[in-house]
Amino acid sequence: MKFATIGHFLNETDIEQFPESWIHGNLIVSPELNVHGTKGYITGLTLTARQMMVLPREDVRRHILDAALFLQNEFGVDIIQLGALTTSVTDGGVWVAKQKGYKGYVNHGDSYTAAVTSQAVLKGLQFFDKKPSDQIIAIVGAYGIIGEAVSKILVPQFHHAILIGRRKEKFKALEKSIDGDFETTVELKTKEADVIVTATSHPEALLQSEHLAKEAIIVDVSQPPNLSYDMCKQRPDIHRIDGGLVDFPVDIVIPGMPPGKNFACIAEVIMQAIENEQTNHVGSIDLNHLRKTEKWAEKYKFILKELTNFGQTIKKTT
Ligand SMILES: NC(=O)c1ccc[n+]([C@@H]2O[C@H](COP(=O)([O-])OP(=O)(O)OC[C@H]3O[C@@H](n4cnc5c(N)ncnc54)[C@H](OP(=O)(O)O)[C@@H]3O)[C@@H](O)[C@H]2O)c1
């Protein structure tokens, strides 16, 4: 199967990073990639993260569908992956999968991202010689697609969990589906936690210094990041870890990405295309599929080898 990822800009200056030959109207399209003989493209809408969230939802969805149709009709793409906030604005990708003109498959890439995020949390604790069973974890965006899966995997392993969202009524289903000691709240009570996972659709930094306990570990999977580079400088006691970044066994040159690494969601669709698995992966994550993506990742070497912060390897300071 031929794959394409559809992302978007994080901010206005992003367009300056791309060669002119990549620009196709409102869509940036990479040169054709070839991964173990499977071909595809990394593409992005020219909308910023903020525009994705504040423009009328039907307009943003139209841009996404137009991109999917263009990739299907002009580039022969069979499967698209909805990157960054394109999942949030399409009801977890379910809306795209229902559109009649688009005949291919849809994957939000959140299954392997949630797996890698959970791995990064456990690896991070090990790195700092801490046990999950002694720790309080806060998950921000807990009933979102990634947040829900991460909550199911991690909450039972922790001493206590604070599951954070914006709408009280959205917690009902989550509360029934997870085990362990937890509370749910619409307050940003992250300061009570030793470990924080951010998996929100908030289009900019969310966590400020007053939200962070001393020496907190923050696994930030959100794109754009919910914890800024500047905050890491301002609070050298805290430890920010990239949530959804994995090693790539092939060279995919995307402006702004650290060499040899890329997003887990991109890895997921590439692996699905190589495996020729002809199905959609949209909406709530099936944990069996999530485990399968981890096996694929071992097989094709799209794995989390080392912890990074904004792409830089995290090293022990003492
Ligand atoms: N690194 C990677 O490989 C990778 C891959 C995929 C996605 N991502 C990123 O991961 C994040 C989550 O993606 P997703 O697909 O799980 O999105 P999602 O299903 O839309 O979930 C996001 C959740 O965040 C909640 N939220 C938004 N603002 C909040 C705030 N201020 N406080 C608390 N909760 C808030 C939303 O709540 P409401 O529903 O109430 O609005 C929603 O439930 C996004 O930033 C995305 O770009 C990264």
Side-chain angles (χ1 to χ4, degrees):
M1 282 200 290
K2 203 172 197 184
F3 67 87
T5 68
I6 304 177
H8 56 79
F9 289 162
L10 297 186
N11 53 55
E12 297 79 19
T13 54
D14 280 3
I15 194 151
E16 293 158 17
Q17 303 182 52
F18 293 93
E20 210 150 292
S21 59
W22 291 31
I23 302 171
H24 296 250
N26 289 331
L27 197 66
I28 307 283
V29 184
S30 76
E32 189 177 80
L33 308 169
N34 185 330
V35 187
H36 301 311
T38 295
K39 294 180 178 167
Y41 310 88
I42 310 286
T43 85
L45 306 175
T46 54
L47 296 176
T48 63
R50 172 156 276 282
Q51 287 172 324
M52 291 292 294
M53 298 312 289
V54 301
L55 288 177
R57 189 63 40 108
E58 59 274 24
D59 292 354
V60 177
R61 285 182 168 188
R62 170 50 58 189
H63 280 293
I64 295 169
L65 182 58
D66 284 350
L69 294 174
F70 177 72
L71 291 164
Q72 169 186 266
N73 300 334
E74 303 296 325
F75 287 81
V77 161
D78 307 295
I79 180 166
I80 55 161
Q81 183 264 321
L82 296 169
L85 300 176
T86 60
T87 298
S88 302
V89 297
T90 56
D91 196 15
V94 173
W95 180 84
V96 182
K98 279 188 189 154
Q99 300 311 301
K100 291 210 165 56
Y102 177 68
K103 311 239 179 300
Y105 301 102
V106 185
N107 179 334
H108 50 39
D110 281 0
S111 306
Y112 188 48
T113 303
V116 169
T117 300
S118 305
Q119 289 173 20
V121 168
L122 299 175
K123 221 173 159 118
L125 283 171
Q126 207 174 30
F127 187 85
F128 293 109
D129 298 319
K130 292 177 178 173
K131 285 197 199 130
S133 53
D134 298 335
Q135 307 287 307
I136 297 177
I137 186 169
I139 301 174
V140 194
Y143 53 72
I145 307 266
I146 295 173
E148 180 194 45
V150 169
S151 299
K152 285 180 185 168
I153 294 168
L154 291 181
V155 171
Q157 304 185 47
F158 277 76
H159 175 65
H160 180 65
I162 306 168
L163 305 179
I164 301 171
R166 294 196 287 200
R167 290 178 284 166
K168 216 169 184 315
E169 72 279 7
K170 290 280 284 179
F171 282 114
K172 280 195 191 128
L174 182 68
E175 282 165 359
K176 286 193 199 127
S177 66
I178 50 176
D179 297 323
D181 187 78
F182 66 88
E183 63 187 285
T184 58
T185 177
V186 292
E187 285 172 48
L188 195 53
K189 286 171 56 176
T190 49
K191 196 164 184 177
E192 295 175 22
D194 309 294
V195 181
I196 303 167
V197 175
T198 70
T200 82
S201 48
H202 187 79
E204 53 215 17
L206 177 66
L207 299 180
Q208 306 302 328
S209 192
E210 68 267 24
H211 301 124
L212 305 167
K214 196 166 181 309
E215 294 178 2
I217 297 171
I218 304 99
V219 175
D220 190 8
V221 68
S222 302
Q223 285 298 326
N226 281 166
L227 184 69
S228 71
Y229 187 80
D230 289 347
M231 186 54 61
C232 297
K233 293 268 168 236
Q234 194 184 317
R235 285 285 305 271
D237 62 297
I238 60 151
H239 309 287
R240 183 189 174 282
I241 298 172
D242 293 318
L245 217 53
V246 289
D247 273 60
F248 261 48
V250 285
D251 222 8
I252 294 185
V253 181
I254 304 296
M257 293 307 291
K261 301 201 187 290
N262 219 308
F263 292 120
C265 54
I266 295 181
E268 182 175 333
V269 75
I270 294 175
M271 297 189 294
Q272 184 177 341
I274 298 172
E275 288 281 322
N276 197 28
E277 195 198 67
Q278 300 187 7
T279 186
N280 293 325
H281 289 289
V282 291
S284 189
I285 292 171
D286 171 357
L287 290 189
N288 290 324
H289 174 64
L290 178 149
R291 296 297 176 209
K292 187 161 72 179
T293 64
E294 289 183 305
K295 291 203 176 91
W296 285 348
E298 288 291 332
K299 182 169 162 191
Y300 298 114
K301 308 277 175 279
F302 288 95
I303 50 173
L304 176 69
K305 272 199 200 136
E306 54 174 10
L307 299 173
T308 56
N309 180 22
F310 289 104
Q312 298 295 311
T313 306
I314 297 175
K315 296 195 177 95
K316 280 221 162 95
T317 45
T318 51

